[in-house]
Amino acid sequence: MANIKFIKEDKEIVVADGANLRYKALENDVDIYTFMGKMTNCGGYGQCGTCVVEIAEGLQNLSPRAAVEERKLKKRPPNCRLACQTMVNGPVSVITKPEKKSAKQRNNQAKSTN
Ligand code: FES
């Protein structure tokens, strides 16, 4: 069993090991899509890149990044995943609809916290 905590929604759910992150989010009324994503998502086939989420904790408890994620998430930080391609095997904390930050913004943020 694994816990998925959706930080923005303040919601925690328990799922079986190997559960699909997108499917479990939608099943539990957690909105992972932006407005455009709602209109244009591929239905979980790894084609659109609109189901991106940020993993705040527990990255090691997820299935490894699929090849399609490496392509779709090139400009995102390494803790971003496509929910539809991600299987959960342990506790994780998830930020839905993460902001797109440039590398420069991330560097500035890192410097200000150090
Ligand atoms: S729903 Fe399209 S890539 Fe995940």
Side-chain angles (χ1 to χ4, degrees):
M1 300 296 264
N3 283 29
I4 306 174
K5 183 175 184 179
F6 295 98
I7 294 173
K8 284 183 184 171
E9 294 77 8
D10 193 22
K11 188 177 227 180
E12 194 160 347
I13 61 173
V14 179
V15 301
D17 285 349
N20 178 277
L21 182 55
R22 173 187 179 271
Y23 182 78
K24 287 297 169 187
L26 297 180
E27 190 179 67
N28 288 279
D29 298 320
V30 173
D31 192 7
I32 59 168
Y33 293 112
T34 61
F35 178 73
M36 276 309 287
K38 282 187 190 70
M39 310 291 277
T40 61
N41 79 79
C42 68
Y45 291 98
Q47 301 296 306
C48 66
T50 60
C51 64
V52 61
V53 293
E54 188 174 328
I55 307 302
E57 285 176 54
L59 199 57
Q60 71 281 4
N61 295 327
L62 302 175
S63 57
R65 262 189 178 196
V68 67
E69 292 181 276
E70 296 299 344
R71 286 196 305 275
K72 295 278 183 196
L73 301 174
K74 253 187 245 165
K75 294 181 180 171
R76 297 274 193 166
N79 64 333
C80 282
R81 299 293 308 264
L82 293 181
C84 71
Q85 302 298 304
T86 303
M87 307 307 158
V88 181
N89 298 310
V92 289
S93 297
V94 177
I95 300 170
T96 54
K97 298 180 248 184
E99 283 178 39
K100 238 184 196 170
K101 291 179 192 164
S102 69
K104 192 176 175 184
Q105 285 173 314
R106 281 195 302 276
N107 284 341
N108 288 343
Q109 198 174 31
K111 281 178 193 168
S112 68
T113 56
N114 290 334

